Amino acid sequence: NRGIRAALAPYIVRVDSDDFVNANFINFLHFYLENNINADAVACDYLLIEDTEDVLEQCDCQEKPIACGIMFRKEQLFEIGLYDENFRYHEERELRIRFEKKYKIHRLALPLYRYRRHDSNISNNHKEMEKYKQALIRKHGETLSAL
C-alpha cells in the first residue's frame, strides 16, 4: 500500500518476485488502458512455467485467473481501499474480489506474464493458505471455488 500511495503514475501493476514478464508487458497493458478509457483494469494471458522455465501450460487469464500481472487504474484501487493488510496470504485475491464487485478486469489475449510454479512457492504453505482462504470466505461470504 505504501508503494501505491507513493506511485506517481496513474496505473499500478504487481508482479510476484519469483515470476517474470515479457519485455513488452508494461507497454501492452499501458497501451490497452490508454486506448480503452472505459476499461477499469487489464490482465494478460500467462504461461504457467516450472522453475526450469519450461512451459507447462498457456492459460487464459479469465478462465484461470491469477491475482498478479493486472494493471489497475490507481484511483480505483484507492476507491476500494487498497490491499487489506490483515491478509498475509491471498492478499491479491482479496483485493481482486473487492475490485471485481465494482469494476471489470479486461482480458488481453497475449501470454505476456510468466507464472512460475516451484517447490518454494509461498502457496505451498498449505496451512497458512487454508487459514487465509477461510478468512476470505468469512469476509466475503462466498464459497470461492476458484481457490
Side-chain angles (χ1 to χ4, degrees):
N1 285 342
R2 275 187 256 147
I4 295 169
R5 287 184 189 102
L8 302 175
Y11 307 115
I12 298 294
V13 64
R14 203 186 135 282
V15 176
D16 278 348
S17 62
D18 57 346
D19 297 341
F20 59 99
V21 297
N22 179 284
N24 293 306
F25 170 75
I26 294 291
N27 293 333
F28 276 105
L29 273 59
H30 178 266
F31 184 82
Y32 187 94
L33 288 178
E34 284 288 309
N35 289 283
N36 292 280
I37 59 171
N38 294 321
D40 304 311
V42 62
C44 63
D45 287 351
Y46 61 95
L47 298 175
L48 182 62
I49 62 168
E50 291 183 309
D51 203 27
T52 60
E53 298 184 15
D54 291 328
V55 175
L56 299 171
E57 178 182 5
Q58 182 171 330
C59 301
D60 177 319
C61 66
Q62 288 180 333
E63 290 176 9
K64 292 184 175 184
I66 55 175
C68 42
I70 304 166
M71 185 174 281
F72 297 96
R73 293 186 188 278
K74 184 170 68 174
E75 72 269 6
Q76 292 170 338
L77 290 177
F78 281 107
E79 286 177 27
I80 65 162
L82 301 175
Y83 285 93
D84 182 335
E85 294 181 10
N86 293 312
F87 282 83
R88 295 290 176 220
Y89 290 77
H90 290 303
E91 72 280 358
E92 304 100 338
R93 286 189 172 97
E94 196 284 325
L95 177 89
R96 185 177 180 138
I97 289 167
R98 284 186 291 117
F99 189 87
E100 289 185 303
K101 286 180 179 179
K102 188 171 183 179
Y103 301 110
K104 183 177 187 322
I105 299 173
H106 290 227
R107 175 184 179 218
L108 183 59
L110 293 171
L112 301 171
Y113 195 90
R114 305 306 187 265
Y115 186 63
R116 190 185 312 256
R117 300 298 279 175
H118 54 82
D119 292 338
S120 300
N121 278 115
I122 193 169
S123 58
N124 290 333
N125 184 337
H126 301 292
K127 182 179 177 183
E128 288 296 304
M129 292 296 286
E130 184 60 28
K131 173 183 164 185
Y132 284 98
K133 177 182 176 183
Q134 293 307 314
L136 277 175
I137 292 168
R138 283 191 303 277
K139 181 173 182 178
H140 295 287
E142 301 172 16
T143 59
L144 302 172
S145 61
L147 296 176

